């Protein structure tokens, strides 16, 4: 029997509503010459190095921090209530989650923390891991720890910060390199997991997605597309986090040791990192804006955009092939299941990109420049907040003792993918497409 799809009961739908709602509201306010309203939500934390410096910084961010909290608390709690979460517990937990996010954001502006190349999302992961493993998370707080809710909304907002005019600048080189890496890494992890270690095919798909496209969100999207068990998705996420953190230190060190130009180093990081936030931290460790630029084109524009394609392919395989063994020979698979399982928030990503592209191209160049400074900065700010909330949630729900129970089979399957991915990424970046990254 076909299940009814209630769009308003899905996290994907609320991620799209919230993400596109922010984009549309900010654009309308900008066009209405109400930039003073936008400034209420634009929080810039100045660098500080001592307790004496901290006082003026906190005073300056007090109003925007309160404005951001009020806005996020209202829209996220409304969404939470519709999704079936307990709204009172969610709001209570979100207050403390936001306080943690604010503390992480302020700490991330510390000059000593910056010197260690610890970006706010990565810092949020560390703080979350410390609290989750050494202090513990009470039950009432857990209601607000919703990784997918925040992650999907952040990805929609990421689309708003990447207009199609920028996406097109990636050129065929970034897309082809991303395609090669995605296919080779996914297939290597999947085959290792299923053929060598005889793991479940859905589990293998989650591992392959986490290592080949966009890390945590890839595992979540593919897990939903093929209806993998929640514990399998959690294990895939845990392995992504472990390897992403390791690559933050390894890739910049290796790039500098090999004396790679910044553009090539950034492309290699974009090819071989497993999480956007970790990749940004690794790219910035190179110390050159060219590395960050090439990383963004390679990882965010190149690899991340394949999540929808892979989710569609895996959904088709799951519905038409993997699940047929449990069906009677006369029973047909309802192809509508492919659409039901497709991660809808990816549509929100492209819709947000198209919306900002249309807005910018419809404006006078001078006005478009102001839009980039006021509205686009706001989108990046909210994207940052949602990713900080995401990585706090990942850290708070990840247990070291559970990682020890992951087992060697999934770890080794993922490690095989890493062992193949890193040298291929180096070869493609430093040889096949080197001219492109150097010119960039």
């Amino acid at each position: 029997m076909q299940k009814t799809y209630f769009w308003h009961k899905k996290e994907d739908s609320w991620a799209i509503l919230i993400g596109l709602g922010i984009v549309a509201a900010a654009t309308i306010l900008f066009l209405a010459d109400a930039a003073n309203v936008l400034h209420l939500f634009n929080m810039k934390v100045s660098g500080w190095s001592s307790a004496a410096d901290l006082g003026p910084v906190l005073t300056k961010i007090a109003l925007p921090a309160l404005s951001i909290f009020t806005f996020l608390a209202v829209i996220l709690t409304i969404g939470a209530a519709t999704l079936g979460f307990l709204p009172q517990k969610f709001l209570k937990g979100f207050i403390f989650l936001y306080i943690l996010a604010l503390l992480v954001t302020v700490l991330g502006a510390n000059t000593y923390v910056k010197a260690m190349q610890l970006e706010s999302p990565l810092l949020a992961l560390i703080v979350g891991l410390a609290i989750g493993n050494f202090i513990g998370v009470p039950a009432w707080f857990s209601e607000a720890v919703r990784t997918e809710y925040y992650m999907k909304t952040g990805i929609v907002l990421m689309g708003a910060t990447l207009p199609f005019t920028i996406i097109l600048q990636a050129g065929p080189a970034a897309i082809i390199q991303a395609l090669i890496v995605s296919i080779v890494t996914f297939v290597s992890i999947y085959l290792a997991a299923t053929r060598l270690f005889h793991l479940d095919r859905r589990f293998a798909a989650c591992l392959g997605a986490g290592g080949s496209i966009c890390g945590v969100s890839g595992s979540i999207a593919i897990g939903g597309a093929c209806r993998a068990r929640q514990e399998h998705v959690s294990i895939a996420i845990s392995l992504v986090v472990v390897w992403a953190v390791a690559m933050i230190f390894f890739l910049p060190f290796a790039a500098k040791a090999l004396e790679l130009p910044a553009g090539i180093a950034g492309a290699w990081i974009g090819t071989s990192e497993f999480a956007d936030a970790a990749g940004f931290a690794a790219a910035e460790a190179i110390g050159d804006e060219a590395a960050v630029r090439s990383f963004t084109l390679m990882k965010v524009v190149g690899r991340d955009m394949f999540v929808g394609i892979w989710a569609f392919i895996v959904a088709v395989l799951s519905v038409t092939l993997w699940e047929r063994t449990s069906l009677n020979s006369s029973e047909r698979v309802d192809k509508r299941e492919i659409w039901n399982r497709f991660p809808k928030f990816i549509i929100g990503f492209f819709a947000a990109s198209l919306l900002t592209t249309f807005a910018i191209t419809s404006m006078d160049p001078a006005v478009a420049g102001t839009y980039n400074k006021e509205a686009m900065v706001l989108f990046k700010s909210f994207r940052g907040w949602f990713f900080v909330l995401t990585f706090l949630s990942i850290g708070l729900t990840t247990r070291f003792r559970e990682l020890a129970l992951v087992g060697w089979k999934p770890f080794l399957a993922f490690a095989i993918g890493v062992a193949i991915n890193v040298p291929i990424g180096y070869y493609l970046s430093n040889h096949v497409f080197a001219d492109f990254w150097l010119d960039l």
Side-chain angles (χ1 to χ4, degrees), residues 88-385:
Q88 291 181 333
K89 285 188 176 182
F90 179 88
L91 179 58
K92 183 180 179 181
F94 182 76
I95 292 173
F96 286 90
L97 188 66
Y98 180 81
I99 291 173
L100 282 178
L102 183 60
L103 291 175
V104 165
T105 303
V106 173
L107 183 59
N110 181 270
T111 53
Y112 301 106
V113 174
K114 283 185 174 181
M116 292 187 289
Q117 303 294 331
L118 291 176
E119 294 297 308
S120 293
L122 179 59
L123 194 59
L125 175 63
I126 295 173
V127 171
L129 287 170
I131 294 175
N133 288 275
F134 300 109
I135 298 177
V137 180
W140 58 265
F141 187 27
S142 300
E143 192 72 10
V145 182
R146 301 287 176 175
T147 301
E148 294 186 37
Y149 193 19
Y150 308 130
M151 170 66 79
K152 293 173 180 178
T153 308
I155 290 176
V156 173
L157 286 170
M158 182 180 288
T161 62
L162 290 170
F164 263 84
T165 51
I166 296 178
I167 293 175
L168 292 176
Q169 290 178 8
I175 301 300
I176 294 173
Q177 183 168 333
L179 181 62
I180 294 171
V181 169
S182 297
I183 293 176
V184 172
T185 307
F186 184 94
V187 171
S188 63
I189 294 177
Y190 181 84
L191 291 179
T194 55
R195 300 293 178 84
L196 292 180
F197 304 114
H198 307 291
L199 298 177
D200 179 80
R201 288 175 291 190
R202 297 170 183 79
F203 188 13
C206 291
L207 293 172
S212 63
I213 42 178
C214 54
V216 172
S217 56
S219 296
I220 292 172
I222 271 47
C226 68
R227 291 185 177 174
R229 291 160 54 185
Q230 184 56 47
E231 57 265 36
H232 287 168
V233 176
S234 299
I235 291 173
I237 291 173
S238 299
L239 289 173
V240 167
V241 170
V242 169
W243 282 105
V245 173
M247 289 298 162
I248 290 176
F249 302 99
F250 171 75
L251 290 173
F253 172 81
K256 291 178 179 178
L258 294 169
E259 299 182 347
L260 297 180
I264 291 176
W268 186 25
I269 292 171
T271 305
S272 300
E273 251 295 2
F274 305 104
D276 291 333
F280 276 116
E284 290 190 350
I286 299 298
D288 192 312
E289 185 63 25
V292 177
R293 190 181 306 115
S294 60
F295 161 78
T296 302
L297 290 176
M298 187 63 249
K299 178 67 170 71
V300 180
V301 177
R303 290 171 64 198
D304 286 6
M305 287 179 62
F306 280 103
V307 66
I309 297 173
W310 278 113
F312 179 78
I313 293 172
V314 170
V316 172
L317 288 173
S318 180
V319 172
T320 61
L321 183 62
W322 296 347
E323 295 174 19
R324 291 194 67 84
T325 57
S326 62
L327 299 173
N328 295 325
S329 58
S330 60
E331 188 176 357
R332 298 179 61 187
V333 178
D334 193 334
K335 301 302 187 294
R336 285 177 293 183
E337 280 294 289
I338 297 173
W339 168 250
N340 290 341
R341 300 183 195 188
F342 183 79
K344 311 299 189 300
F345 69 93
I346 299 300
I347 299 174
F349 172 93
F350 288 109
S353 178
L354 287 170
L355 184 57
T356 52
T357 299
F358 177 77
I360 292 173
T361 55
S362 301
M363 297 174 183
D364 179 85
V367 178
T370 306
Y371 180 84
N372 280 324
K373 292 179 181 178
E374 295 182 353
M376 194 67 73
V377 167
L378 185 67
F379 305 151
K380 293 179 180 178
S381 175
F382 273 111
R383 181 192 68 183
W385 278 106

Side-chain angles (χ1 to χ4, degrees), residues 7-15 17-18 71-95 97 140-150 153 386:
W7 69 270
H8 61 290
K9 294 288 187 179
K10 306 295 181 180
E11 287 181 341
D12 296 59
S13 301
W14 276 96
L17 286 173
I18 294 171
F71 176 73
L72 291 180
V74 170
I75 61 172
L76 289 173
T77 302
I78 292 174
T82 308
L83 291 169
F85 306 157
L86 298 175
Q88 291 181 333
K89 285 188 176 182
F90 179 88
L91 179 58
K92 183 180 179 181
F94 182 76
I95 292 173
L97 188 66
W140 58 265
F141 187 27
S142 300
E143 192 72 10
V145 182
R146 301 287 176 175
T147 301
E148 294 186 37
Y149 193 19
Y150 308 130
T153 308
F386 278 105

